[in-house]
Amino acid sequence: MLVVDDQAVVRAGFAAIVDAEPDLSVVGEAGDGASAVAMAAELDPDVVLMDIQMPGMDGLTATRLIAGGGGRARVLVLTTFDLDAYVFDALCAGASGFLLKDARADDLLSAVRVVASGDGILAPAVTGRLIAAFARGAPTRPEAGEALERLTPREREVLLLVASGLTNAEIGERLGVSTGTVKTHVNALLGKLGLRDRVQATILAYDTGLIRPRSTATP
């Protein structure tokens, strides 16, 4: 993992937490966005733990460049600022996850493992803000709605449950199928929609109006 933060003490703290785990390791540290982009290209880490507000190139710009750079690195954004603009900007920049810096160490480590495995994660508070934003009537994009037509009824149902925040195990229990079958459906719908992970799938579900608070799938 590559740790990016403009405060050396913060970087050291995150690195110590991660390096204490037998299955995780820190391969580098960067103090600004430009260094992060260069080191990500050189080291090709699985995960980049990215601060947002830094001098020079900020974390959002760095995230966009890393996510679009063709490497395997996936970005987990970590910030002290619980603001809608940062959430949406980070996700649109290609982040695979978003956590606040006051998250517990166990939650941070879990998020790193989830993102490293190729999935995405949102802090519960962030998911709530995402729901609220679309509940206020954020416009849907026609092309996003057309993308749903590529899905089978079962894949559409799984997408709805993914966007509702359920895990694969919970979806399997809800549908009466195995976790492996759910994973197959999730991978299939991500491939058909050209999405990277569950975070992007959740955004698409809200973007299309497939799901809204206290609602079910659209006809």
Side-chain angles (χ1 to χ4, degrees):
M1 186 180 78
L2 174 64
V3 180
V4 185
D5 195 289
D6 62 333
Q7 299 182 45
V9 173
V10 174
R11 293 199 306 271
F14 288 144
I17 292 172
V18 172
D19 278 334
E21 298 299 302
D23 60 325
L24 300 174
S25 64
V26 174
V27 297
E29 299 180 22
D32 58 74
S35 298
V37 173
M39 293 183 71
E42 176 186 354
L43 300 173
D44 196 26
D46 293 315
V47 177
V48 177
L49 187 63
M50 180 74 73
D51 187 26
I52 287 183
Q53 288 203 337
M54 296 182 290
M57 182 186 294
D58 63 26
L60 295 177
T61 302
T63 294
R64 187 174 294 106
L65 293 173
I66 292 172
R72 66 177 177 176
R74 300 167 65 82
V75 181
L76 175 60
V77 172
L78 194 64
T79 182
T80 56
F81 297 93
D82 184 12
L83 299 178
D84 292 341
Y86 289 128
V87 174
F88 290 108
D89 287 350
L91 295 177
C92 290
S96 293
F98 192 109
L99 288 176
L100 302 180
K101 282 186 177 178
D102 62 1
R104 298 180 307 171
D106 287 347
D107 291 335
L108 170 62
L109 293 170
S110 176
V112 170
R113 291 186 175 100
V114 168
V115 172
S117 72
D119 213 335
I121 189 168
L122 290 175
V126 174
T127 302
R129 286 177 175 271
L130 185 65
I131 293 171
F134 282 99
R136 288 193 296 267
T140 61
R141 295 178 292 112
E143 64 271 21
E146 293 171 2
L148 294 181
E149 297 178 3
R150 306 171 195 162
L151 303 182
T152 65
R154 176 62 89 181
E155 290 166 352
R156 188 182 175 101
E157 186 175 16
V158 170
L159 173 59
L160 175 63
L161 296 174
V162 166
S164 298
L166 274 64
T167 65
N168 284 353
E170 291 169 337
I171 294 173
E173 183 176 354
R174 179 78 61 87
L175 300 180
V177 299
S178 70
T179 300
T181 297
V182 174
K183 186 174 182 179
T184 297
H185 286 313
V186 171
N187 289 337
L189 70 88
L190 291 178
K192 288 182 179 181
L193 298 176
L195 303 177
R196 186 180 60 249
D197 51 43
R198 299 168 78 98
V199 170
Q200 289 191 336
T202 298
I203 293 173
L204 180 74
Y206 284 106
D207 198 14
T208 57
L210 176 66
I211 183 172
R212 290 182 181 277
R214 301 183 184 88
S215 73
T216 56
T218 57

